[in-house]
Amino acid sequence: MCCLLLLLVVVISTAEVRSKNTCDVIPKDVYLEVGSDTEIMCWCLYVHGKVFWTLNSEILPQSWSRSINSSHTAVSLRNFTLHKATLQCHRHDTEEILGGTTIRTYSKPTDVGCMWHYKNDSWGGVPQLFTCSWKHQLHVSEQINYTVQGSSWLNTSQFEICSSQVNTCTFKDVHLSGNITLVGNHNVTVRAKTSHWEVYSDPYEFEPQHILQILPPKLNLTALSGHLLAEWSTSAVSKKHHCQVKYDKVGGKDASEKVLNKTLEPRVKGKITIDKVESCTYYKVSVRCALDKAPWSDWSREKRLVTQLRGSDVKLQLWRKVTEPDQDGIRKVYAMWTEIPSTCQGAFLYSIHLTANEHHGIEIDYVHTLCGSSPFQISVNEDAHRLKLKVYHNDALLAEDSVYVPAVGETLPRVANVQTSSRQGVIHVSWDAPAQTVTGYMIDWTHDGHQYSWMETNSTSMSLFGLLEKKPHNITVTPLFDGKTGLGTQALHICSSVSGLGRVFIVSIEASDKSAHMIWTTQPQEVCSAVLIHYVVFYRTEQGRQLNITVDGTKQEIDLKGLTPDTQYSTYVMAVALTGVGHSNTRHFNTKKFDPRMVRPLIIFGVVIIVVVLFVGLCCAIQWKKFLKKQVPNPGLSSVALWPSASHQKGMVLFRPFSYPSESLCEPVYMEQPQPISTPDTHLDPTGVHKEQCIDPAVVAEPDKRPHEPENTFNQSSSMESTGLLSEGGSPLSPYRSQSSVESPTQSGGQEWKRLLPMTHQELATPLSVYVTLDIFDQYQGNFEN
Ligand SMILES: *[C@@H]1O[C@H](CO)[C@@H](O)[C@H](O)[C@H]1NC(C)=O
Ligand SMILES: *[C@@H]1O[C@H](CO)[C@@H](O)[C@H](O)[C@H]1NC(C)=O
Ligand SMILES: *[C@@H]1O[C@H](CO)[C@@H](O)[C@H](O)[C@H]1NC(C)=O
Ligand SMILES: *[C@@H]1O[C@H](CO)[C@@H](O)[C@H](O)[C@H]1NC(C)=O
Ligand SMILES: *[C@@H]1O[C@H](CO)[C@@H](O)[C@H](O)[C@H]1NC(C)=O
Ligand SMILES: *[C@@H]1O[C@H](CO)[C@@H](O)[C@H](O)[C@H]1NC(C)=O
């Protein structure tokens, strides 16, 4: 059973082998050196007949293919350069693929070079390091091991120098190995090896001296008048060698580096002078050397040095500005000159000589010695003068220059039609040449009247650079001739550039209901401010569209019209100039509900109304109060006494004449419950009804419900008294009880009211008032009736 199963497996697997592997291409995974030839075989066990080949799906010419016997066919590939390719073998009749293989190529290392050199910190002797480098084109990211192998005339067998996995390798301490010596031919090969292939570079042959890199030279730099002197020493003094000196200005803008070559014979010291250097300027210098045919050493350490001043480099450019003569005919001359740069070493002495009347041969020398500050001020009279400036360096005259100061009113040529324009901070000046021949022109310019710049030119136009921006400049053009100066022609207040607009500020907004008056201002305009063309006032409600009004540049106020009452508006002002615009900040304002012009009359009217209403209200209140408080005491319960005079009364108001007409529209009427006659001692009823009613006098005249009670007429002022009385009215003991001075009332029967007190002469003068309650009559009525 088991054997049967095994047999079955064997039969099946054999069948598989036969169906699959009856054809194939060999070898598999071919690695070729670029440009080499190869032959690939296609074989079939069972299939016989012709085959054809494809390389990367392209059919190869039949001629490349060669039939070996019935089962084997070979294809030859010559000078194969593809990095990677797929080669397939097909049946000729069915085009069925019988097998295939991949072919990859590799190249050998090239450009091998080696250098024999020193360690960084060494000081000579035999160089310790041997470094080789090479190039290698790769199309695969396979790890490659490189080995540098060498042989020499001493040791012809290959010896390994160094190995690495990158394109360079260094053999340290080569001087100890003895394999590479200073003399004789050597050669070197680089082997590149991966797991699939191995390739050797072409051998590289060298003489040790030609690959020897010497140490960088030691440089010594000296600044001499007008030039620099570079001196250096190398470790190769005993052999012929070449050196290069490179130098440049420190901080030079352009790559103005220059190189000087110098070949040194054996035992000649390195030394070179660097001419063509600028005065008082820092230079950097370094040097490198190489043995003949050998690589350059590294550059020596850079040395820096400032050059000395050369007399011919000194350009004093003496110039002067002359003021108008004062009352005494004295003019001030400001002499100015280009100073010697502060980088120049040494002491410089300046002296100014003033020579007057040179035409008349009279030379008066005023000598001022100073230590070089420009401008320098001298006073001269109205005559012509010549200023001479001399500079001494270490007591030797270095340079001198002179300038002419014309006499007042001297007729001299001058330029005409000075025209200026400015653009982006540069002022361009042009002028017309004078009729006389001139040798040139001096242009001077200032932005503050103290600091001047000046420049000489031969042409009739000039561009002034490096100006302070947004400043007015005064520019003067003076012709020069025969060592003299002509008269200057000025162009005043030329702005180097135009500043932006000043800021705009909204000063006030006075809003009415449908309009608003707005005032704004701009920051003070400067000389070089942009010229304002107009303003645009923008305004809008929160939701509404933005509206605008253009305002003439001379005005700074506007009335915004057609606004909606009781609405918030925002507004800002834009100043418009040719060069740009300036904005104010945004301000908000609310329009009024009503026209404020209507408000004043309305207010006045309202106030009048309020006053009237208040007056009426007050009157009513007083009357009401009076009604409430006025309680006429019952004279029937009181004894009659002499009333104290008004001046003795406290808190009591004098009675007015009874006949006094009522001041109020409201006539109070007081009523009290009738008290029983039989009980004359009855107190004032605390709960006594006292009603106040606003009654027409006419109504008052009408008969009351109580026919017995006569009408009362009260004076307003008596309310004070009645208040006093009422406050005590609730108490069982009325103050009237304690009245001591008793007099019998004068009775006059039948009269509804009567005089209670006899008139004194004082009382005759002061009108008297009488108060009466209805009860009094009730009580007396009884008495009278009795
Ligand atoms: C055909 O040639 C190949 C290679 O030369 C050889 O290996 C093979 O045995 C040959 N086959 C026959 C049937 O001769
Ligand atoms: C390369 O060198 C390393 C160590 O030197 C070694 O482990 C590796 O097998 C080498 N590879 C090949 C392809 O020779
Ligand atoms: C200096 O030598 C280099 C190469 O050696 C050369 O390219 C260069 O032109 C030479 N310079 C001068 C100024 O001769
Ligand atoms: C330019 O000249 C005028 C007239 O002489 C003078 O008033 C003004 O101050 C000068 N301005 C400057 C900046 O020097
Ligand atoms: C102007 O021209 C004269 C002679 O034509 C020359 O000597 C002088 O150097 C020139 N000056 C300038 C600033 O170019
Ligand atoms: C002012 O408003 C008008 C339309 O109302 C518009 O065409 C114009 O562009 C506005 N002006 C500015 C400066 O926005």
Side-chain angles (χ1 to χ4, degrees):
M1 184 63 192
C2 200
C3 286
L4 202 70
L5 207 66
L6 194 71
L7 190 72
L8 193 68
V9 167
V10 167
V11 167
I12 289 171
S13 49
T14 314
E16 272 186 2
V17 165
R18 281 183 62 170
S19 68
K20 274 194 175 172
N21 282 347
T22 49
C23 294
D24 207 353
V25 169
I26 49 167
K28 297 283 180 194
D29 290 330
V30 183
Y31 287 87
L32 284 181
E33 195 181 333
V34 172
S36 59
D37 307 335
T38 189
E39 195 172 68
I40 310 285
M41 197 84 77
C42 180
W43 61 267
C44 280
L45 269 186
Y46 304 104
V47 183
H48 300 289
K50 285 178 87 178
V51 299
F52 70 92
W53 298 84
T54 57
L55 186 67
N56 285 347
S57 307
E58 282 187 30
I59 298 168
L60 294 181
Q62 199 58 49
S63 59
W64 294 15
S65 176
R66 164 173 77 90
S67 184
I68 292 169
N69 53 32
S70 59
S71 58
H72 285 68
T73 309
V75 66
S76 317
L77 303 172
R78 301 195 183 284
N79 191 12
F80 196 83
T81 50
L82 294 176
H83 304 141
K84 188 182 174 187
T86 307
L87 182 72
Q88 282 172 326
C89 169
H90 302 257
R91 258 179 89 153
H92 197 272
D93 45 2
T94 60
E95 297 189 4
E96 182 195 346
I97 297 169
L98 302 173
T101 184
T102 52
I103 306 170
R104 292 185 184 84
T105 57
Y106 55 85
S107 54
K108 59 185 177 186
T110 55
D111 297 333
V112 181
C114 297
M115 193 162 70
W116 201 5
H117 57 122
Y118 289 92
K119 284 182 183 167
N120 269 346
D121 52 355
S122 68
W123 291 98
V126 180
Q128 307 88 348
L129 306 177
F130 187 84
T131 300
C132 291
S133 59
W134 54 90
K135 289 180 185 157
H136 197 192
Q137 269 200 325
L138 288 173
H139 306 288
V140 283
S141 53
E142 257 182 304
Q143 195 202 48
I144 303 173
N145 285 353
Y146 296 103
T147 309
V148 179
Q149 298 173 331
S151 63
S152 71
W153 62 283
L154 272 179
N155 183 356
T156 46
S157 62
Q158 293 279 322
F159 53 89
E160 188 177 314
I161 295 174
C162 59
S163 60
S164 84
Q165 290 173 349
V166 292
N167 287 9
T168 178
C169 81
T170 297
F171 180 20
K172 290 174 183 157
D173 301 320
V174 65
H175 60 302
L176 304 177
S177 79
N179 275 329
I180 296 172
T181 53
L182 270 173
V183 286
N185 274 352
H186 294 64
N187 80 58
V188 151
T189 336
V190 177
R191 183 189 69 193
K193 189 169 188 273
T194 71
S195 44
H196 298 109
W197 50 267
E198 184 187 78
V199 67
Y200 285 84
S201 74
D202 294 334
Y204 160 67
E205 265 191 54
F206 61 91
E207 274 185 50
Q209 303 99 302
H210 296 165
I211 63 160
L212 191 75
Q213 184 195 40
I214 58 173
L215 283 166
K218 291 196 179 72
L219 174 66
N220 210 344
L221 196 62
T222 329
L224 299 173
S225 176
H227 66 266
L228 290 172
L229 177 67
E231 292 170 291
W232 65 92
S233 57
T234 64
S235 55
V237 150
S238 56
K239 297 189 181 72
K240 177 182 172 180
H241 61 285
H242 310 277
C243 294
Q244 284 188 321
V245 176
K246 76 170 176 191
Y247 65 97
D248 196 5
K249 276 197 274 189
V250 173
K253 274 175 201 153
D254 39 4
S256 53
E257 194 174 272
K258 291 185 187 69
V259 177
L260 299 173
N261 292 338
K262 177 109 184 176
T263 298
L264 297 172
E265 296 303 320
R267 280 170 293 280
V268 174
K269 266 197 92 179
K271 182 174 176 179
I272 210 167
T273 54
I274 304 171
D275 292 318
K276 293 176 190 156
V277 287
E278 289 172 26
S279 291
C280 309
T281 307
Y282 274 92
Y283 278 86
K284 50 185 184 185
V285 180
S286 55
V287 61
R288 67 178 182 181
C289 294
L291 292 173
D292 206 15
K293 296 176 184 150
W296 286 111
S297 71
D298 290 331
W299 286 104
S300 71
R301 263 181 56 190
E302 192 177 270
K303 284 273 168 90
R304 295 182 173 210
L305 202 65
V306 63
T307 53
Q308 287 198 352
L309 179 65
R310 206 183 349 225
S312 58
D313 281 351
V314 180
K315 298 270 184 291
L316 286 175
Q317 287 224 40
L318 180 65
W319 187 235
R320 84 290 179 282
K321 295 297 287 181
V322 188
T323 63
E324 293 297 310
D326 61 13
Q327 306 97 310
D328 306 327
I330 300 298
R331 299 177 291 167
K332 280 186 187 132
V333 177
Y334 297 95
M336 47 189 112
W337 59 90
T338 311
E339 285 175 33
I340 286 164
S342 57
T343 45
C344 293
Q345 288 160 339
F348 296 94
L349 202 70
Y350 297 80
S351 77
I352 284 199
H353 304 251
L354 185 65
T355 312
N357 293 330
E358 59 176 353
H359 294 298
H360 307 100
I362 308 161
E363 296 206 353
I364 311 155
D365 255 13
Y366 309 95
V367 180
H368 299 260
T369 304
L370 54 154
C371 284
S373 68
S374 167
F376 180 74
Q377 185 193 323
I378 299 176
S379 294
V380 300
N381 60 20
E382 297 182 335
D383 296 336
H385 287 78
R386 181 167 287 281
L387 272 178
K388 201 177 276 180
L389 176 73
K390 292 181 177 175
V391 189
Y392 299 88
H393 183 221
N394 302 335
D395 294 334
L397 180 64
L398 193 66
E400 66 178 314
D401 199 1
S402 80
V403 70
Y404 182 69
V405 180
V408 173
E410 194 176 343
T411 315
L412 288 165
R414 75 190 312 163
V415 303
N417 194 21
V418 175
Q419 294 198 321
T420 56
S421 60
S422 68
R423 216 173 146 220
Q424 286 167 346
V426 177
I427 298 181
H428 186 78
V429 197
S430 64
W431 56 89
D432 293 347
Q436 300 88 333
T437 38
V438 294
T439 51
Y441 304 92
M442 185 66 92
I443 300 140
D444 63 75
W445 62 96
T446 178
H447 68 274
D448 60 0
H450 302 293
Q451 285 175 280
Y452 281 87
S453 306
W454 63 101
M455 206 178 259
E456 206 178 319
T457 180
N458 275 356
S459 84
T460 56
S461 68
M462 189 165 192
S463 292
L464 313 180
F465 294 93
L467 306 175
L468 268 181
E469 289 201 354
K470 300 171 190 170
K471 289 275 187 223
H473 287 74
N474 280 354
I475 302 169
T476 311
V477 182
T478 313
L480 306 172
F481 61 98
D482 288 347
K484 286 219 270 181
T485 62
L487 299 176
T489 309
Q490 268 202 322
L492 299 181
H493 304 308
I494 313 304
C495 288
S496 46
S497 54
V498 176
S499 67
L501 282 162
R503 284 200 58 187
V504 185
F505 298 99
I506 294 176
V507 175
S508 71
I509 303 173
E510 256 178 57
S512 177
D513 57 338
K514 287 181 193 158
S515 66
H517 185 69
M518 197 166 133
I519 301 175
W520 63 90
T521 182
T522 45
Q523 262 184 354
Q525 296 261 310
E526 287 163 21
V527 181
C528 290
S529 289
V531 180
L532 192 104
I533 299 168
H534 59 248
Y535 297 102
V536 184
V537 179
F538 294 89
Y539 61 103
R540 67 185 304 164
T541 59
E542 212 166 287
Q543 276 88 36
R545 198 162 58 86
Q546 177 161 279
L547 303 169
N548 68 63
I549 301 180
T550 302
V551 183
D552 177 9
T554 58
K555 288 188 192 147
Q556 294 197 334
E557 59 181 329
I558 194 181
D559 278 316
L560 303 175
K561 298 211 174 81
L563 308 182
T564 316
D566 194 23
T567 307
Q568 194 187 53
Y569 279 86
S570 62
T571 180
Y572 68 91
V573 181
M574 181 175 81
V576 181
L578 269 185
T579 48
V581 296
H583 293 266
S584 77
N585 47 343
T586 302
R587 283 267 300 260
H588 301 275
F589 65 91
N590 289 306
T591 50
K592 302 265 187 334
K593 260 190 180 131
F594 308 105
D595 187 350
R597 284 167 302 176
M598 291 296 294
V599 167
R600 184 173 291 180
L602 275 176
I603 286 175
I604 293 169
F605 182 73
V607 165
V608 168
I609 293 287
I610 287 168
V611 165
V612 168
V613 165
L614 277 179
F615 181 76
V616 170
L618 190 70
C619 168
C620 281
I622 287 168
Q623 289 300 350
W624 171 247
K625 219 168 177 186
K626 199 159 72 180
F627 176 78
L628 279 184
K629 309 247 168 102
K630 188 181 271 178
Q631 181 64 66
V632 180
N634 190 345
L637 299 176
S638 174
S639 37
V640 179
L642 189 69
W643 202 263
S645 75
S647 55
H648 297 146
Q649 288 176 13
K650 271 190 179 174
M652 295 221 182
V653 178
L654 197 63
F655 284 98
R656 297 272 171 83
F658 202 62
S659 58
Y660 217 78
S662 170
E663 285 175 7
S664 169
L665 295 169
C666 308
E667 197 60 34
V669 173
Y670 294 85
M671 284 171 289
E672 255 181 48
Q673 295 293 334
Q675 294 204 345
I677 301 155
S678 54
T679 52
D681 276 348
T682 314
H683 306 302
L684 278 170
D685 184 4
T687 57
V689 181
H690 34 268
K691 295 174 189 162
E692 191 177 25
Q693 296 169 319
C694 272
I695 307 167
D696 235 359
V699 177
V700 175
E702 275 174 25
D704 202 19
K705 278 176 254 174
R706 297 172 58 187
H708 298 300
E709 287 174 12
E711 293 155 32
N712 278 340
T713 310
F714 292 99
N715 191 299
Q716 265 185 311
S717 55
S718 64
S719 64
M720 283 300 283
E721 185 202 10
S722 56
T723 305
L725 294 173
L726 274 174
S727 62
E728 311 241 331
S731 99
L733 275 173
S734 169
Y736 298 102
R737 293 258 175 226
S738 59
Q739 282 177 359
S740 51
S741 170
V742 178
E743 258 183 62
S744 306
T746 323
Q747 294 185 354
S748 80
Q751 279 188 293
E752 288 200 348
W753 58 272
K754 61 192 172 188
R755 186 178 281 277
L756 291 177
L757 300 168
M759 299 246 277
T760 64
H761 32 252
Q762 202 185 345
E763 283 163 336
L764 280 171
T766 1
L768 272 181
S769 301
V770 168
Y771 59 90
V772 161
T773 65
L774 299 179
D775 295 349
I776 205 170
F777 297 107
D778 286 347
Q779 206 174 344
Y780 278 93
Q781 209 167 22
N783 289 345
F784 300 151
E785 282 165 6
N786 287 341

